[in-house]
Amino acid sequence: MARAKLKNSPSESNSHVKTVPPATTEDVHGVSPLLPSRRMGSMGSDVGQRPHAEDFSVDSSFSQVQVEFYVNENTFKERLKLFFIKNQRSSLRIRLFNFSLKLLTCLLYIVRVLLDNPEEGIGCWECEKQNYTAFNQSTNINWSHIFWVDRKTPLWAVQVSIALISFLETMLLIYLSYKGNIWEQIFRISFILEMINTVPFIITIFWPPLRNLFIPVFLNCWLAKYALENMINDLHRAIQRTQSAMFNQVLILICTLLCLVFTGTCGIQHLERAGEKLSLFKSFYFCIVTFSTVGYGDVTPKIWPSQLLVVIMICVALVVLPLQFEELVYLWMERQKSGGNYSRHRAQTEKHVVLCVSSLKIDLLMDFLNEFYAHPRLQDYYVVILCPTEMDIQVRRVLQIPLWSQRVIYLQGSALKDQDLMRAKMDNGEACFILSSRNEVDRTAADHQTILRAWAVKDFAPNCPLYVQILKPENKFHVKFADHVVCEEECKYAMLALNCVCPATSTLITLLVHTSRGQEGQESPEQWQRMYGRCSGNEVYHIRMGDSKFFMEYEGKSFTYAAFHAHKKYGVCLIGIRREENKSILLNPGPRHIMAASDTCFYINITKEENSAFIFKQEEKQKKKGFAGSYDGPSRLPVHSIIASMGTVAMDLQNTECRPANSSKLALPAENGSGTRRPSIAPVLELADTSSLLPCDLLSDQSEDEMTQSDEEGSAVVEYVKGYPPNSPYIGSSPTLCHLLPEKAPFCCLRLDKGCKHNSFEDAKAYGFKNKLIIVSAETAGNGLYNFIVPLRAYYRSRKELNPIVLLLDNKPEHHFLEAICCFPMVYYMEGTIDNLDSLLQCGIIYADNLVVVDKESTMSAEEDYMADAKTIVNVQTMFRLFPSLSIITELTHPSNMRFMQFRAKDSYSLALSKLEKRERENGSNLAFMFRLPFAAGRVFSISMLDTLLYQSFVKDYMITITRLLLGLDTTPGSGYLCAMKITEDDLWIRTYGRLFQKLCSSSAEIPIGIYRTESHMFATSEPHDIRAQSQISINVEDCEDTKDVKEHWGIKTSHHRNSCSSDQSEHPLLRRKSMQWARRLSRKGNKHSSKTAEWISQQRLSLYRRSERQELSELVKNRMKHLGLPTTGYDEMNDHQNTLSYVLINPPPDTRLELNDIVYLIRSDPLAHVANDGHSRKSSCSNKLGSGNPETRDETQL
């Protein structure tokens, strides 16, 4: 018996008023004489061993008394109640025994029926038996057949024994459960049935003639059903199973049906003893036919008692069964809402992952399922969704599709409840994905919920790998224990920052982290769509070098050598490695890294090496052991078309120097530049020739492109230093070496639009910036905005080419944020919004090269989810019209809304792209949105596209690390960084991407990974185009000086077609549009109208529509600039360059022709790694100089 024992302290005993009686012998040692002797013995022995244990008493006359308290009443009734009712395990045994007794009585009844033979005579026990078979032909009912049965003595003895046990047990339970109302216990149905089946047997002990009396023992089946229900409840309590309502209800329904059939069978069989004497089997057959509403009529009761019983049973069934079914259906519907359980047996035999979300939207679900099941080895996995909200209608409709219904299980529940985690079998899961609700207005609160879910899962299933998505960077350190963490704002701002210096970085990263087969757009008539779609299938894969056919032959060679020859031979792009002894991934470690067989190679390819087939070419077998890669994709790599003549001209690398940083082209070799022979490129060395390389101190001011005294206007130069930012706005930010101010700027100097005592500048023009501005429009200065500044101020970017950064904030930034950014050069802020023209002009939008529009949290409160981007889209569209040449990079909440960027309702080309997107979606593409021109050009981005980065990490655990290295969020020593270079006219001598690969590897050890191509787009033949062409021809034919003047003034070029896929600011002026109808009528009716009439119509039209839309917008902007006191010269120089389309080619084939203005993505090796090597070896030096990260320029070795 559980009990608690308390001892009164000496102070407490002294504080009592009542005196303590003199101590007895036991009291000397502080032992109460009321305690058991066993207790006294132990206490006495302890005291004997420690004679001074009780010396702490204040007064020796007061002894300490130990009082024993009982948790339960220590009475015989309470102990019986504890054993029979309260204790789960003991009561379960009692109910199991009771259930067995009831089943045994039913079985004994069947035995008695089978042994009974009424023809031998019927009567009381030890009375003279009478044969009543002669009366069976009469219409009167022989009641003796109903009242008396033939019960053998052994059978009677067994039944009496069971009845006695059941009676005593029932009376004991009545006594123990008595609570003051005896009638409530007596009139219970179970008690009445128990008395009917037990008391008559007990009476037969004292009155033997009644031993053959019929007793309806078959009614014990209802008592067995009642005992079974109680037993199941106790069982669930004992094993702590809470989700048992559905099981209980199904069990009750089955037991009810069985009891109805058994009662009807036994009752009809017994009553028909006075009729047709039906057997037990025929009675059972009759009940089944009757309850199933079939009713053959071949077996029917003949006497009214049995007929009355049938009526009663049918009425009972009509009342009881519908109630049972209603309860079952209700529970089934509730289970459908909550999802039920994930089977324990399935969890032990099959693999599953758990997806925990706050609210499940159809877009999120489909992105996860499409990306997760895109990998072949995950096809047999189950996905268990644990969500606290009820299943959405669209989600329910999708999960009913056979493709998903067999593999996806939805459970409504909370990750904070162990019961729900148990339902999802979290402890057996292969992984748990915890996603934040980015649609919440308060993202910090959403992060707090995610953190609690991660803690709960880690506490419940510590061995389950965790994949966590966090919105705010300051909350990241709370889930540092997770296996993989993706911080949304970190990635978002870093990607938007790189978009300003490496165009379309967002598109490049998005395509890399999406699983694609490279089949998108292959049926399109457009060449750029086919090439763009095929290259989008490239992804990052890994393989151990010793196991690879791609890289095995380059063991002992330099990384640069292996990268070039693997691309030349197989078309794969080697981007990084990981040493076996070091867990850090290094992107382009440079030519000094020697490849080892234990290295893990990371490469970009259309498919992984394990899925590739290698075909030996006969002509190459005769030369060398050559391989030609054959892929599963639609096109094979044209290995033989790679033209890169190696060694044609011997290049003396002994005279290489560190090249000046202002060089902006790939140098043409002087030996071959004027002749007819094709210019040659130096071979890529197997091992870096470090003896001939001049050491360069990359951190010294002489090695940088510093501003000298002869710079513009001889203005004072602000010296920058390199170092780590002293203040980080949040815990967990990766330290990055940056350009910093020697001293922190005062907070007042960070305000762009207001002067202070240090300077009087009040607008961007007054500062006189030499480089174009980068403007960021955000609602608040969150900590994530810090990651926008750091990549643009990284140490490897040239000082001359640092772009000023202006933060256009809706709300005033907090003090700690200003403290973090005040150490960076040329970083300013001002309060304003993008829908305010004055704010845009003051922050210097006409001097900006890039405007980044960040998604705002306050728009998340839209009643319709997809309307969250409405304000952003309309504002950006307005800026496209006002500032045509401005490159605007927009972040949207929903990727599906990117179709509204640069929207033109009657644009035939945009409509064709929309149809292409729908067709790709029907074909099951995960990248159906990739052909939208704003996305392909890197002008629009949605952070939800990076959700696949977390999903891919389940298969590729290195993807998050590689992505962070590419974005500059992490800076691992020795790892390279992403930058870009532009192909100019002087660089076109290289001609192909394969030769460019060789040129970069041999000169500056840079690894190209893709091309950003911009090309002029010509209209496809369409009706609007034909009308425009006719109008242009007609206008040119007309000898109207006014028309020519207007066209020359606004720069309308009739010899070039406009781009239908451009933004709305590329619309023709109103004069152009209105003159189309006029020109068409003029061309048709020129012979009928006189020249005077035509001239008069032309003059009227010109005077009426002289003010074009572009002119109106231009005058609006100029008027506001004059009002603000800003010069309007910069705005006059803005032109419309929207008649082009741009797209990204990831790892294009080596024979891809280079085109003018192509921007090549490069992974440049870490210059600091070479400096670090100088400390260990004097032979180590620098082969390429740290230079600019501007897309227009690059640094390399002079050949």
Side-chain angles (χ1 to χ4, degrees):
M1 190 67 62
R3 64 192 68 178
K5 303 173 181 62
L6 302 175
K7 291 186 179 181
N8 294 330
S9 63
S11 60
E12 291 174 343
S13 60
N14 291 336
S15 63
H16 291 313
V17 178
K18 296 175 65 175
T19 59
V20 179
T24 60
T25 306
E26 288 93 349
D27 293 336
V28 175
H29 300 293
V31 181
S32 172
L34 302 177
L35 294 180
S37 60
R38 168 180 60 85
R39 185 68 178 168
M40 291 190 298
S42 62
M43 291 290 292
S45 61
D46 291 342
V47 174
Q49 294 175 3
R50 295 175 298 173
H52 301 289
E54 304 294 336
D55 290 344
F56 61 83
S57 179
V58 178
D59 190 352
S60 59
S61 62
F62 291 92
S63 301
Q64 193 175 43
V65 179
Q66 181 171 344
V67 182
E68 188 176 46
F69 297 97
Y70 291 95
V71 176
N72 300 294
E73 293 185 17
N74 197 15
T75 62
F76 181 71
K77 179 180 179 180
E78 289 296 329
R79 293 190 178 186
L80 288 177
K81 186 183 293 187
L82 180 67
F83 181 78
F84 280 92
I85 300 176
K86 293 183 179 180
N87 188 277
Q88 297 174 359
R89 298 189 180 277
S90 60
S91 63
L92 177 62
R93 298 189 190 100
I94 296 298
R95 297 184 193 279
L96 179 61
F97 175 72
N98 191 20
F99 174 72
S100 303
L101 284 182
K102 303 308 176 187
L103 287 184
L104 181 59
T105 56
C106 294
L107 182 62
L108 292 176
Y109 179 84
I110 295 175
V111 172
R112 200 273 307 160
V113 171
L114 296 177
L115 296 178
D116 188 17
N117 187 6
E119 296 181 356
E120 297 180 356
I122 297 173
C124 61
W125 191 69
E126 294 183 348
C127 298
E128 183 179 355
K129 301 295 188 299
Q130 299 182 11
N131 194 337
Y132 297 97
T133 55
F135 299 98
N136 286 343
Q137 303 300 326
S138 64
T139 57
N140 296 328
I141 298 175
N142 193 340
W143 296 99
S144 299
H145 285 79
I146 297 176
F147 291 139
W148 302 104
V149 295
D150 184 16
R151 184 178 287 114
K152 307 299 182 183
T153 302
L155 184 62
W156 170 83
V158 174
Q159 287 183 323
V160 168
S161 302
I162 295 176
L164 277 172
I165 297 174
S166 299
F167 179 79
L168 294 176
E169 181 190 6
T170 302
M171 299 309 295
L172 179 60
L173 291 177
I174 289 292
Y175 167 70
L176 295 178
S177 59
Y178 172 70
K179 296 180 180 180
N181 189 355
I182 190 61
W183 300 108
E184 180 183 356
Q185 305 289 335
I186 292 177
F187 288 107
R188 291 172 58 187
I189 296 179
S190 59
F191 179 78
I192 295 174
L193 290 178
E194 197 71 58
M195 294 300 102
I196 292 175
N197 291 321
T198 57
V199 172
F201 279 111
I202 297 174
I203 293 175
T204 58
I205 299 176
F206 307 101
W207 197 358
L210 296 180
R211 292 181 181 179
N212 284 344
L213 180 67
F214 170 73
I215 302 172
V217 182
F218 56 83
L219 294 178
N220 275 332
C221 65
W222 296 97
L223 296 176
K225 170 181 171 292
Y226 178 72
L228 180 62
E229 293 178 18
N230 294 332
M231 183 177 65
I232 295 298
N233 291 334
D234 287 343
L235 178 62
H236 290 165
R237 283 195 303 161
I239 65 176
Q240 299 295 322
R241 181 178 176 182
T242 58
Q243 304 295 328
S244 58
M246 190 70 187
F247 174 79
N248 284 0
Q249 196 59 38
V250 172
L251 183 65
I252 290 172
L253 178 61
I254 294 174
C255 291
T256 303
L257 288 174
L258 291 177
C259 290
L260 283 173
V261 173
F262 184 73
T263 302
T265 300
C266 296
I268 292 172
Q269 184 274 334
H270 178 72
L271 293 175
E272 281 299 313
R273 294 178 68 204
E276 286 191 353
K277 297 182 176 59
L278 294 178
S279 65
L280 204 60
F281 177 76
K282 284 189 175 182
S283 298
F284 175 72
Y285 168 76
F286 169 76
C287 290
I288 294 297
V289 170
T290 302
F291 285 126
S292 63
T293 69
V294 176
Y296 291 118
D298 52 345
V299 178
T300 56
K302 299 300 182 182
I303 58 176
W304 69 264
S306 57
Q307 293 171 350
L308 179 62
L309 177 62
V310 172
V311 172
I312 294 174
M313 295 302 298
I314 291 176
C315 293
V316 171
L318 291 177
V319 173
V320 174
L321 292 182
L323 294 176
Q324 300 284 346
F325 277 110
E326 180 186 7
E327 185 69 20
L328 182 62
V329 170
Y330 173 77
L331 290 174
W332 176 259
M333 294 176 63
E334 290 297 320
R335 181 174 181 176
Q336 288 297 104
K337 293 180 182 179
S338 63
N341 295 334
Y342 183 67
S343 169
R344 171 67 66 178
H345 173 72
R346 180 184 291 177
Q348 294 174 349
T349 56
E350 304 287 348
K351 296 180 179 179
H352 76 284
V353 298
V354 182
L355 176 65
C356 295
V357 290
S358 296
S359 60
L360 186 63
K361 302 296 183 183
I362 185 63
D363 294 338
L364 176 66
L365 175 64
M366 295 312 300
D367 287 344
F368 178 83
L369 294 180
N370 289 329
E371 184 63 36
F372 185 80
Y373 285 112
H375 301 276
R377 74 181 186 89
L378 303 181
Q379 297 302 312
D380 295 332
Y381 277 65
Y382 286 88
V383 173
V384 179
I385 302 172
L386 187 60
C387 181
T389 60
E390 189 176 340
M391 192 187 308
D392 185 59
I393 296 177
Q394 292 181 330
V395 174
R396 186 185 303 276
R397 188 180 301 118
V398 167
L399 295 185
Q400 289 175 350
I401 300 175
L403 177 63
W404 307 121
S405 62
Q406 303 299 323
R407 299 191 285 185
V408 182
I409 300 170
Y410 187 95
L411 303 181
Q412 183 178 351
S414 172
L416 301 184
K417 294 182 179 179
D418 287 352
Q419 296 89 342
D420 293 331
L421 295 178
M422 194 179 301
R423 288 170 54 206
K425 304 300 181 291
M426 185 70 73
D427 50 344
N428 292 338
E430 298 295 320
C432 177
F433 296 89
I434 303 178
L435 306 184
S436 296
S437 178
R438 65 167 57 90
N439 295 329
E440 297 289 337
V441 177
D442 189 355
R443 297 194 179 188
T444 303
D447 270 351
H448 293 169
Q449 297 174 12
T450 302
I451 292 169
L452 286 184
R453 290 191 181 95
W455 290 353
V457 172
K458 194 65 177 179
D459 178 69
F460 181 83
N463 296 325
C464 181
L466 274 180
Y467 297 76
V468 182
Q469 179 192 66
I470 286 292
L471 303 180
K472 296 283 189 179
E474 59 266 25
N475 297 320
K476 190 175 64 172
F477 78 101
H478 290 296
V479 291
K480 192 177 181 180
F481 57 84
D483 299 79
H484 300 277
V485 180
V486 172
C487 181
E488 180 178 291
E489 286 198 1
E490 273 189 340
C491 297
K492 174 178 72 176
Y493 282 108
M495 193 173 296
L496 293 174
L498 280 183
N499 262 15
C500 299
V501 292
C502 299
T505 302
S506 58
T507 303
L508 172 71
I509 299 297
T510 302
L511 295 179
L512 279 178
V513 301
H514 272 78
T515 301
S516 172
R517 299 166 297 172
Q519 302 286 349
E520 287 81 2
Q522 297 308 301
E523 299 178 358
S524 172
E526 298 275 348
Q527 171 64 25
W528 77 269
Q529 292 175 0
R530 294 195 298 271
M531 180 178 293
Y532 173 52
R534 182 169 61 251
C535 292
S536 69
N538 284 278
E539 298 178 47
V540 181
Y541 299 99
H542 75 291
I543 193 170
R544 187 176 178 273
M545 183 179 177
D547 304 331
S548 171
K549 292 184 179 180
F550 286 160
F551 312 110
M552 179 173 52
E553 56 186 297
Y554 307 120
E555 182 179 356
K557 307 294 194 303
S558 69
F559 176 87
T560 309
Y561 181 87
F564 165 68
H565 284 277
H567 185 267
K568 176 177 180 292
K569 203 169 189 179
Y570 305 107
V572 301
C573 181
L574 179 64
I575 62 172
I577 59 95
R578 180 172 58 196
R579 288 290 193 189
E580 185 178 21
E581 66 277 2
N582 188 5
K583 298 302 181 183
S584 300
I585 297 177
L586 303 180
L587 299 182
N588 186 13
R592 290 173 174 79
H593 179 87
I594 306 302
M595 305 292 288
S598 59
D599 288 352
T600 300
C601 301
F602 300 95
Y603 62 95
I604 298 176
N605 196 22
I606 199 73
T607 184
K608 58 183 180 180
E609 180 182 329
E610 292 84 350
N611 296 343
S612 304
F614 298 89
I615 302 175
F616 293 90
K617 296 294 183 181
Q618 288 298 123
E619 58 272 19
E620 292 195 5
K621 281 184 178 180
Q622 299 173 1
K623 298 177 182 179
K624 290 183 178 181
K625 297 179 180 179
F627 296 94
S630 177
Y631 298 92
D632 299 335
S635 62
R636 289 176 50 190
L637 289 174
V639 177
H640 295 284
S641 65
I642 301 177
I643 47 175
S645 58
M646 299 173 56
T648 305
V649 177
M651 306 300 296
D652 187 7
L653 295 180
Q654 304 293 330
N655 298 326
T656 56
E657 299 176 353
C658 285
R659 182 178 176 176
N662 56 3
S663 176
S664 62
K665 60 183 179 180
L666 298 170
L668 180 68
E671 298 91 75
N672 297 332
S674 59
T676 58
R677 292 182 61 187
R678 182 182 61 192
S680 176
I681 302 175
V684 182
L685 301 179
E686 294 185 6
L687 299 175
D689 189 6
T690 57
S691 61
S692 63
L693 298 180
L694 299 177
C696 300
D697 186 4
L698 295 171
L699 295 181
S700 65
D701 290 339
Q702 284 79 14
S703 67
E704 290 291 341
D705 46 340
E706 59 187 13
M707 301 177 68
T708 61
Q709 300 288 339
S710 61
D711 281 334
E712 297 181 7
E713 302 177 0
S715 59
V717 178
V718 179
E719 292 292 338
Y720 301 151
V721 297
K722 289 184 178 180
Y724 293 97
N727 297 317
S728 175
Y730 62 92
I731 300 174
S733 61
S734 178
T736 304
L737 192 64
C738 298
H739 293 287
L740 303 176
L741 293 172
E743 296 181 359
K744 292 182 179 180
F747 290 173
C748 58
C749 295
L750 299 180
R751 186 72 183 259
L752 181 73
D753 56 336
K754 289 186 178 180
C756 62
K757 62 182 180 180
H758 305 95
N759 64 65
S760 59
F761 303 145
E762 294 185 354
D763 58 76
K765 177 64 176 177
Y767 283 86
F769 296 124
K770 296 180 175 57
N771 296 328
K772 292 285 190 178
L773 276 69
I774 296 177
I775 301 176
V776 187
S777 173
E779 186 175 22
T780 58
N783 294 327
L785 198 55
Y786 175 80
N787 294 288
F788 184 91
I789 300 173
V790 170
L792 298 179
R793 294 293 179 265
Y795 71 95
Y796 45 76
R797 306 207 180 277
S798 173
R799 294 179 182 177
K800 271 189 176 181
E801 293 158 359
L802 295 181
N803 298 90
I805 301 173
V806 179
L807 310 178
L808 184 61
L809 305 174
D810 293 5
N811 304 310
K812 187 176 180 179
E814 297 181 1
H815 180 82
H816 71 89
F817 178 78
L818 296 178
E819 185 71 25
I821 68 171
C822 66
C823 58
F824 294 104
M826 292 189 294
V827 178
Y828 308 93
Y829 80 93
M830 66 169 287
E831 296 180 32
T833 58
I834 57 174
D835 54 0
N836 188 336
L837 182 58
D838 291 355
S839 299
L840 292 174
L841 294 175
Q842 281 185 323
C843 71
I845 192 170
I846 63 174
Y847 311 110
D849 216 2
N850 293 277
L851 172 62
V852 178
V853 181
V854 181
D855 190 22
K856 299 183 179 181
E857 296 181 19
S858 60
T859 61
M860 299 298 176
S861 59
E863 295 182 0
E864 185 179 350
D865 289 340
Y866 292 91
M867 284 297 176
D869 296 321
K871 184 177 181 180
T872 302
I873 292 174
V874 174
N875 289 335
V876 169
Q877 199 76 352
T878 303
M879 284 188 292
F880 268 123
R881 290 174 176 269
L882 294 175
F883 310 101
S885 65
L886 183 64
S887 174
I888 304 179
I889 305 167
T890 311
E891 183 207 357
L892 298 179
T893 303
H894 301 282
S896 60
N897 286 336
M898 68 174 60
R899 66 183 187 273
F900 300 122
M901 305 300 297
Q902 307 179 12
F903 181 74
R904 298 179 66 187
K906 297 182 179 180
D907 186 359
S908 60
Y909 194 75
S910 296
L911 294 177
L913 290 177
S914 178
K915 294 180 180 178
L916 176 61
E917 179 180 349
K918 295 175 183 177
R919 186 165 61 248
E920 294 297 337
R921 185 176 289 109
E922 292 173 356
N923 294 336
S925 171
N926 297 342
L927 295 168
F929 54 80
M930 62 176 292
F931 293 103
R932 291 289 181 178
L933 296 180
F935 172 77
R939 301 293 176 85
V940 65
F941 166 70
S942 176
I943 190 61
S944 62
M945 298 175 185
L946 281 188
D947 288 346
T948 55
L949 175 62
L950 191 66
Y951 312 152
Q952 272 205 2
S953 299
F954 182 64
V955 177
K956 305 175 182 178
D957 57 355
Y958 49 83
M959 279 306 299
I960 295 178
T961 303
I962 289 180
T963 303
R964 292 181 63 88
L965 289 173
L966 288 175
L967 295 178
L969 290 172
D970 291 338
T971 53
T972 304
S975 178
Y977 58 93
L978 181 65
C979 59
M981 60 163 285
K982 191 171 186 178
I983 300 296
T984 62
E985 291 184 359
D986 297 325
D987 302 326
L988 293 178
W989 65 271
I990 298 181
R991 291 198 300 277
T992 64
Y993 183 76
R995 289 168 56 84
L996 175 67
F997 207 115
Q998 180 181 357
K999 172 68 175 176
L1000 293 173
C1001 289
S1002 62
S1003 60
S1004 55
E1006 296 167 337
I1007 306 297
I1009 62 173
I1011 297 176
Y1012 177 73
R1013 177 160 293 176
T1014 302
E1015 58 187 36
S1016 299
H1017 179 67
M1018 302 300 293
F1019 278 107
T1021 302
S1022 61
E1023 184 178 354
H1025 163 254
D1026 295 338
I1027 294 175
R1028 266 195 300 272
Q1030 292 177 10
S1031 67
Q1032 293 169 2
I1033 294 173
S1034 301
I1035 294 174
N1036 287 331
V1037 169
E1038 288 297 323
D1039 187 16
C1040 180
E1041 298 297 331
D1042 293 338
T1043 307
K1044 293 180 181 178
D1045 293 341
V1046 173
K1047 286 160 57 174
E1048 290 173 1
H1049 176 74
W1050 293 107
I1052 300 175
K1053 298 180 180 180
T1054 58
S1055 60
H1056 292 84
H1057 297 291
R1058 304 294 297 164
N1059 182 13
S1060 64
C1061 63
S1062 63
S1063 60
D1064 285 348
Q1065 74 272 9
S1066 65
E1067 291 279 0
H1068 296 282
L1070 293 178
L1071 166 65
R1072 198 75 152 305
R1073 295 205 303 261
K1074 297 300 181 180
S1075 64
M1076 285 194 294
Q1077 300 176 358
W1078 164 75
R1080 185 167 53 185
R1081 286 199 300 267
L1082 186 63
S1083 62
R1084 293 177 180 175
K1085 303 179 181 180
N1087 297 329
K1088 298 181 181 180
H1089 293 278
S1090 62
S1091 59
K1092 294 183 179 180
T1093 305
E1095 184 178 357
W1096 178 81
I1097 294 175
S1098 175
Q1099 292 177 355
Q1100 292 295 321
R1101 294 291 184 183
L1102 289 176
S1103 61
L1104 183 62
Y1105 301 110
R1106 192 177 301 273
R1107 289 173 56 84
S1108 69
E1109 179 183 283
R1110 185 81 201 102
Q1111 183 181 5
E1112 293 178 0
L1113 295 175
S1114 176
E1115 291 182 0
L1116 172 65
V1117 174
K1118 289 182 179 179
N1119 289 335
R1120 294 311 305 165
M1121 294 179 70
K1122 292 177 182 178
H1123 177 74
L1124 296 173
L1126 301 175
T1128 60
T1129 54
Y1131 185 71
D1132 293 332
E1133 299 173 358
M1134 301 187 76
N1135 298 318
D1136 183 3
H1137 301 296
Q1138 299 297 326
N1139 59 339
T1140 59
L1141 62 85
S1142 304
Y1143 53 93
V1144 176
L1145 301 177
I1146 303 177
N1147 188 29
D1151 63 342
T1152 302
R1153 302 287 297 185
L1154 297 178
E1155 296 182 4
L1156 185 63
N1157 295 326
D1158 277 355
I1159 294 178
V1160 181
Y1161 298 104
L1162 306 173
I1163 299 181
R1164 187 171 293 168
S1165 58
D1166 183 16
L1168 295 182
H1170 302 167
V1171 176
N1173 291 336
D1174 288 341
H1176 301 285
S1177 173
R1178 296 303 301 171
K1179 294 182 180 181
S1180 177
S1181 61
C1182 174
S1183 63
N1184 67 315
K1185 182 178 177 289
L1186 175 65
S1188 73
N1190 191 293
E1192 303 281 338
T1193 61
R1194 55 177 295 279
D1195 305 318
E1196 61 172 29
T1197 303
Q1198 176 72 42
L1199 299 182

